[in-house]
Amino acid sequence: MSLNLEIDYPKTAKKVTDFLNTKLDRYLALSGKQRFDLKSPSMDGMPKSPSNGNANESRFLNIWLAEEVVDCVGCTMRNMTQESRKILLSRYSDQMLTYNIAQELNISAATYSRKQEKALCEFADRFEYQLAKHGIYTDVEDLHVYLDEE
């Protein structure tokens, strides 16, 4: 098995954006958490064993998986570089407009776009690590788009 480091940065950034804009809301709803909880240090990131053994096992497993994914997102955000963390938490936790984030960072819109793409790709890398650490990497789609997949 070889490590494929050749990712398509714009397509990976788009895939991460889709995840953070749409799929994350479902995981948050199932886990009982809100977007502002992504900043919370109380999300410990430690795996918890799922409930099982009754008629509602599938529902409990879905809730457990949602909690794990949300914990992975929170751990990913907290372990990013300071600039990337600021960009993504401002956008996806505080739900600030990109224009306001660029202003707050005192950068142009074009510079913000480049930095946001970099931050989104960093998220994909660090999120993959968190999924593996939590033992759920086979249950959640890889957010990377590789050049040889085109």
Side-chain angles (χ1 to χ4, degrees):
M1 180 177 149
S2 67
L3 181 61
N4 185 356
L5 298 176
E6 299 295 321
I7 67 168
D8 183 319
Y9 288 93
K11 289 183 180 177
T12 296
K14 168 97 172 79
K15 194 170 181 179
V16 172
T17 298
D18 291 343
F19 172 81
L20 293 172
N21 278 333
T22 57
K23 292 180 182 175
L24 180 58
D25 285 332
R26 177 73 172 140
Y27 288 123
L28 287 164
L30 284 171
S31 71
K33 295 189 168 61
Q34 301 288 326
R35 283 185 177 268
F36 63 81
D37 291 324
L38 297 176
K39 293 180 173 184
S40 172
S42 66
M43 294 171 53
D44 63 11
M46 295 304 297
K48 297 141 191 96
S49 48
S51 303
N52 56 25
N54 62 38
N56 292 317
E57 181 175 342
S58 178
R59 289 174 62 197
F60 286 116
L61 287 174
N62 285 339
I63 291 168
W64 170 80
L65 180 60
E67 289 175 338
E68 290 297 303
V69 170
V70 170
D71 282 349
C72 286
V73 171
C75 288
T76 298
M77 293 286 192
R78 286 187 303 280
N79 287 297
M80 296 180 75
T81 60
Q82 184 176 358
E83 182 176 66
S84 294
R85 180 175 52 246
K86 174 69 174 159
I87 289 170
L88 295 187
L89 284 175
S90 294
R91 179 72 187 108
Y92 298 105
S93 179
D94 299 335
Q95 299 187 310
M96 289 175 61
L97 298 174
T98 57
Y99 170 79
N100 294 9
I101 301 167
Q103 266 191 327
E104 192 172 287
L105 294 173
N106 200 27
I107 57 177
S108 70
T111 300
Y112 173 81
S113 292
R114 285 190 305 275
K115 289 179 182 277
Q116 182 184 33
E117 180 179 285
K118 181 182 173 193
L120 290 165
C121 290
E122 180 185 344
F123 180 91
D125 292 342
R126 293 182 184 271
F127 186 62
E128 184 173 0
Y129 168 78
Q130 289 297 328
L131 293 175
K133 183 178 173 183
H134 282 72
I136 59 171
Y137 61 93
T138 58
D139 299 310
V140 181
E141 180 183 13
D142 184 3
L143 297 178
H144 294 94
V145 176
Y146 297 94
L147 291 176
D148 62 353
E149 291 178 357
E150 298 174 344

